[in-house]
Amino acid sequence: MSVTVSEKNITQEIASGIEKNLDVNSSDGALRKEALEAFRTLGLPPNKSEEYKFTPITRALEKNFEFSGQNAIVKEFDITPVAIPGLDADVLVFLNGVFSKTASSITSKNLTVLPIQEAIASKNEVALKHLGKYADFKTDALVAWNTAAFQDGVFVHVADNTIIEKPVVLYHIHDASAGQVISLNRNLIVVGKSSSVTVLEKFDSTGSANFSNTVTEAVVAENAGLELYSIQNDNGPRYQFGLTQIHQSNFSRVNTYTFTLSGKLVRNNLHFVLNGEGIESHMYGLYLLAKDTLADNHTVVDHKKPNSFSNELYKGIMGDSSKGVFNGKIYVRPDAQKTNAFQANRNILLTDKATVNTKPQLEIWADDVKCSHGCTTGQLDEEALFYLQTRGIGKDTALAMMLYAFAGEVLEYVKHPVIKEYLDNVISERLHKNF
Amino acid sequence: MLTIKNLQAKIGDKQILNGINLDIKPGEVHAIMGPNGSGKSTLASVLAGREEFEVTGGEVEFLGKDLLELAPEERAREGVFLAFQYPVEIPGVSTINFMKTAVNQIRVHRGQQALDAVSFLGLMREKMKLVEIDQSLLNRSLNEGFSGGEKKRNEIFQMAMLEPKLAILDETDSGLDIDALKIVSNGVNKLRNKSNAVIVVTHYQRLLDYIVPDFVHVLYKGKIVKSGTKELALELEAKGYDWIKDEVSVA
């Protein structure tokens, strides 16, 4: 007889750990308490649950982590090797989930950039007004967990009519060389009317098993712009859950870029609510997977009002025995006439063992809309490979050229030149580009 | 330069080449003609190293080397060039970038220095004139959205860039109007010299008005059943292939 480990156990273990540290009298105490209750009620997703069908995150947590201990404290870390070279930015560094003032450098004066704990402790009105209002912790236990127990993250507030040129960059460093690391990061980005900002998160880890649960809420006001990058390139036993919840108003523009290049299990939830007219939302994703990496991108785009445009392009290359998952939901509400919503997911499988599961889900209640979706999965074009070889190009180089060409389409949309060059190098190296 | 002895090849269970013999010397142009399904394109593919075809017998010697032992890219580096009947479209790879890689990999193989960006562009401009191809076309993704004529001109442009010793033109005339045919043929003729050779695979005589062959071979059922000079091509044009088939069946 097989014994199934009950998921309730780790839910309870995590919940009682949270409860011990919960200060209900703090500015966010009520929110955290409510989220904790939701976390208990929901429980971590059981295996085969619909939303986590291909991504057994609960089992991975059970198997690889203890929930009673504390993270090792890392006092210093040289971020030079993981930093994006030549990028002029306001930098926040989080070491095992904890903000490091010494490693960070915030110089911009025309916007508010604060560690979120500081924003809450100082009762920042904007932060408290928006915190926890968008990321729904009542349907997903992982979001509830984060909301109840988040350690730190960034609060970015751009006032009205302000264009911020310098990106805000978050380096999340996990040093699990002295033992496992679990970090819960929480970001809140508020972009005022007719303003714009770029925020980039990059994750790096060393050592043994480490997990991060990151929730980012972004509120983008009328006519404002936001560029949001997430770069996930961790080797080793790296587990990651993230929810990025974006709330857009009239005529705002948001581009998100999600790059998953390594890791053990990565789940990215990206939810857009288009609560206005004339909105543009672009979601770009690239996952280049090898070994036994599992990367699961779940996106939701909710068109609530007329005349908005959303466009989604996710591409993946799966090698070895890696697994890709893409699930793209698009809702077009009854009011959202004249919506344009496009979605494309393209995949290349390099081996027989690599897999991808891709699923578009369109639910359309309005009748005057343009929506399209397309999924393709295939092997590399052998005829094209042969063609390149007949010109004297070695098979490895030819392969790299073709993969780079496939992946490079996503890079074309990256606007920031320094970030683009960095990603280009990382991807080229990853695909062994030597031409 | 190229010696083919009793070459046999199949795809899947289907035997296509049934013992080809051919000897090509530097400076020569050989036309391979024949009805559809006779094995012309298979011969071109086998020489270029296409993996779907399995060589079941015979040998091919190219400049003293066993050609069949070499990977497709090694054949190219030794000087074999195949102009495709259906050039492949590769989105995201520009002709320029791809040619730069190809030229330099071949140069390195030949013990020459890789070209820097400036020298490469210089070489490219010179060769572009040969086939009257525009640089804007070469900046685009390889063959993507090109017309039939543009694709074939691009093939000859690549041939000019790589300076092969043996060029195999597989039905290069197919899908070309008369103007494009002239441009493509002119390009090939300008590239001919005493030390290189050309195999022209074609169904029709019209290309041979422009690229004049020294020898014409007729392929039928995977064998060369008749060889002659350029007059043979004219005879085939006038009489069709049936008399060849009759001759073979009588024999």
Side-chain angles (χ1 to χ4, degrees):
Chain A
M1 200 184 111
S2 69
V3 178
T4 319
V5 181
S6 154
E7 281 99 18
K8 276 278 180 249
N9 286 346
I10 83 161
T11 298
Q12 270 162 20
E13 208 179 315
I14 293 167
S16 49
I18 297 170
E19 195 162 29
K20 254 186 261 167
N21 297 314
L22 192 65
D23 173 10
V24 285
N25 296 318
S26 66
S27 309
D28 57 349
L31 172 70
R32 286 176 185 264
K33 189 165 182 289
E34 197 186 347
L36 176 60
E37 278 159 23
F39 177 67
R40 280 206 167 104
T41 312
L42 291 164
L44 285 168
N47 296 327
K48 308 284 174 199
S49 70
E50 186 56 30
E51 283 297 304
Y52 291 85
K53 197 153 78 179
F54 301 106
T55 306
I57 192 161
T58 305
R59 197 165 66 211
L61 289 169
E62 276 169 3
K63 232 174 106 179
N64 299 288
F65 294 91
E66 298 290 332
F67 296 92
S68 44
Q70 297 264 318
N71 290 337
I73 292 175
V74 182
K75 286 241 153 53
E76 295 208 0
F77 191 92
D78 179 14
I79 65 150
T80 320
V82 299
I84 296 172
L87 183 62
D88 183 20
D90 284 315
V91 172
L92 291 90
V93 177
F94 298 89
L95 301 175
N96 288 356
V98 180
F99 175 67
S100 163
K101 195 163 186 163
T102 49
S104 303
S105 100
I106 303 163
T107 57
S108 288
K109 299 277 182 265
N110 49 354
L111 81 166
T112 306
V113 181
L114 287 174
I116 200 158
Q117 290 289 22
E118 210 178 304
I120 294 164
S122 66
K123 299 195 162 45
N124 181 297
E125 275 180 33
V126 178
L128 293 178
K129 181 183 166 197
H130 293 289
L131 181 71
K133 297 291 191 305
Y134 308 94
D136 181 8
F137 57 79
K138 290 188 174 146
T139 52
D140 190 324
L142 287 146
V143 180
W145 178 9
N146 180 289
T147 308
F150 66 84
Q151 296 160 285
D152 221 331
V154 72
F155 168 59
V156 177
H157 177 214
V158 185
D160 294 350
N161 303 310
T162 315
I163 307 296
I164 306 296
E165 301 286 349
K166 256 208 244 185
V168 175
V169 173
L170 281 60
Y171 293 116
H172 294 282
I173 314 290
H174 278 186
D175 183 350
S177 45
Q180 69 163 47
V181 172
I182 295 172
S183 77
L184 298 141
N185 318 302
R186 184 82 181 204
N187 306 313
L188 175 62
I189 302 163
V190 180
V191 191
K193 282 181 187 167
S194 302
S195 297
S196 74
V197 69
T198 296
V199 179
L200 180 146
E201 276 195 293
K202 185 170 179 291
F203 300 85
D204 290 277
S205 58
T206 57
S208 60
N210 66 100
F211 170 70
S212 73
N213 175 333
T214 304
V215 173
T216 300
E217 292 175 294
V219 193
V220 186
E222 229 172 275
N223 201 33
L226 172 66
E227 304 260 302
L228 209 50
Y229 293 85
S230 181
I231 304 175
Q232 305 155 358
N233 192 14
D234 302 69
N235 283 308
R238 160 77 179 166
Y239 301 81
Q240 181 161 351
F241 165 83
L243 165 67
T244 301
Q245 178 79 43
I246 293 167
H247 192 274
Q248 285 186 253
S249 298
N250 292 341
F251 304 103
S252 59
R253 303 161 310 278
V254 174
N255 292 346
T256 61
Y257 308 86
T258 308
F259 294 86
T260 307
L261 307 173
S262 196
K264 178 83 181 164
L265 181 153
V266 179
R267 167 65 178 248
N268 297 311
N269 287 357
L270 176 61
H271 295 182
F272 272 82
V273 176
L274 279 56
N275 195 27
E277 297 195 35
I279 290 171
E280 267 196 47
S281 314
H282 295 270
M283 289 142 270
Y284 302 106
L286 180 66
Y287 39 101
L288 306 177
L289 313 179
K291 295 182 224 164
D292 59 351
T293 298
L294 187 164
D296 178 350
N297 283 292
H298 266 60
T299 67
V300 180
V301 183
D302 192 349
H303 283 265
K304 289 189 181 292
K305 301 272 169 70
N307 296 315
S308 285
F309 174 76
S310 70
N311 177 40
E312 194 167 2
L313 174 67
Y314 272 71
K315 295 184 103 172
I317 300 173
M318 270 65 56
D320 300 329
S321 58
S322 62
K323 289 188 171 72
V325 181
F326 176 82
N327 186 293
K329 288 194 181 93
I330 298 175
Y331 299 118
V332 182
R333 305 290 172 183
D335 278 353
Q337 299 294 357
K338 307 278 182 197
T339 286
N340 283 316
F342 304 106
Q343 180 188 92
N345 175 232
R346 317 224 172 277
N347 300 287
I348 290 180
L349 298 175
L350 294 177
T351 65
D352 292 342
K353 284 185 180 163
T355 58
V356 66
N357 287 287
T358 173
K359 185 178 173 190
Q361 278 179 275
L362 276 61
E363 294 187 31
I364 300 168
W365 291 279
D367 49 21
D368 184 14
V369 301
K370 268 188 209 156
C371 292
S372 77
H373 66 87
C375 305
T376 56
T377 298
Q379 277 83 36
L380 208 66
D381 182 350
E382 293 286 336
E383 180 69 7
L385 198 59
F386 175 64
Y387 186 86
L388 295 175
Q389 285 180 277
T390 62
R391 272 49 178 156
I393 297 174
K395 195 170 186 174
D396 287 351
T397 307
L399 191 70
M401 275 178 105
M402 289 178 58
L403 294 179
Y404 181 78
F406 176 82
E409 190 193 348
V410 177
L411 267 187
E412 279 174 30
Y413 299 99
V414 173
K415 285 185 188 156
H416 194 288
V418 178
I419 297 171
K420 187 175 191 160
E421 192 190 345
Y422 170 77
L423 286 166
D424 192 11
N425 286 333
V426 171
I427 289 163
S428 302
E429 203 175 300
R430 180 72 173 65
L431 297 172
H432 316 291
K433 189 180 84 157
N434 49 355
F435 47 89
Chain B
M1 171 184 274
L2 181 79
T3 309
I4 303 174
K5 280 185 192 157
N6 192 28
L7 181 65
Q8 298 155 51
K10 64 174 188 177
I11 185 162
D13 290 333
K14 200 178 169 201
Q15 192 71 32
I16 299 178
L17 300 184
N18 293 304
I20 304 264
N21 292 293
L22 192 60
D23 194 34
I24 295 177
K25 294 188 177 58
E28 293 178 351
V29 174
H30 289 246
I32 309 276
M33 301 185 72
N36 288 329
S38 58
K40 302 186 300 283
S41 282
T42 300
L43 177 62
S45 290
V46 167
L47 293 177
R50 193 187 285 275
E51 276 173 19
E52 293 103 286
F53 296 98
E54 188 192 336
V55 175
T56 52
E59 49 196 81
V60 180
E61 192 192 292
F62 177 66
L63 296 169
K65 290 200 166 133
D66 179 356
L67 194 70
L68 300 177
E69 282 293 298
L70 302 178
E73 62 268 31
E74 293 168 327
R75 299 181 193 202
R77 291 168 194 170
E78 292 296 330
V80 175
F81 180 87
L82 173 66
F84 279 54
Q85 181 178 4
Y86 304 108
V88 181
E89 298 189 8
I90 310 185
V93 175
S94 75
T95 305
I96 291 185
N97 273 343
F98 138 72
M99 263 297 109
K100 190 165 181 232
T101 307
V103 165
N104 282 336
Q105 289 209 347
I106 288 177
R107 286 180 69 89
V108 168
H109 175 78
R110 290 175 184 166
Q112 295 166 311
Q113 275 225 308
L115 294 180
D116 60 29
V118 176
S119 326
F120 175 79
L121 282 177
L123 178 70
M124 202 181 80
R125 294 227 167 81
E126 179 196 323
K127 304 296 186 186
M128 274 161 41
K129 287 185 203 141
L130 276 180
V131 285
E132 301 173 35
I133 199 164
D134 198 68
Q135 186 164 342
S136 63
L137 208 60
L138 303 179
N139 284 330
R140 280 166 47 185
S141 283
L142 185 58
N143 293 326
E144 197 182 32
F146 286 24
S147 70
E150 287 170 336
K151 284 181 182 171
K152 296 298 170 81
R153 269 191 277 167
N154 194 2
E155 293 294 286
I156 306 307
F157 164 72
Q158 292 174 35
M159 173 182 160
M161 291 296 288
L162 302 179
E163 298 177 339
K165 299 190 181 89
L166 174 69
I168 305 161
L169 312 181
D170 187 7
E171 310 255 4
T172 295
D173 51 331
S174 68
L176 289 189
D177 61 34
I178 195 72
D179 292 330
L181 188 70
K182 278 183 192 166
I183 293 171
V184 164
S185 310
N186 261 333
V188 173
N189 286 330
K190 283 180 198 157
L191 294 169
R192 286 177 60 183
N193 60 42
K194 278 180 197 160
S195 60
N196 63 24
V198 182
I199 297 176
V200 183
V201 173
T202 182
H203 190 84
Y204 303 104
Q205 137 74 20
R206 64 172 192 153
L207 179 63
L208 305 180
D209 286 340
Y210 301 98
I211 305 173
V212 181
D214 300 297
F215 300 98
V216 173
H217 310 280
V218 181
L219 203 60
Y220 181 58
K221 291 188 175 171
K223 273 188 156 175
I224 290 175
V225 294
K226 203 169 186 65
S227 292
T229 55
K230 61 183 178 190
E231 284 73 25
L232 176 58
L234 293 168
E235 198 177 349
L236 287 168
E237 182 74 5
K239 292 160 68 177
Y241 284 106
D242 284 348
W243 65 280
I244 298 271
K245 294 179 188 172
D246 294 342
E247 262 189 32
V248 173
S249 59
V250 168

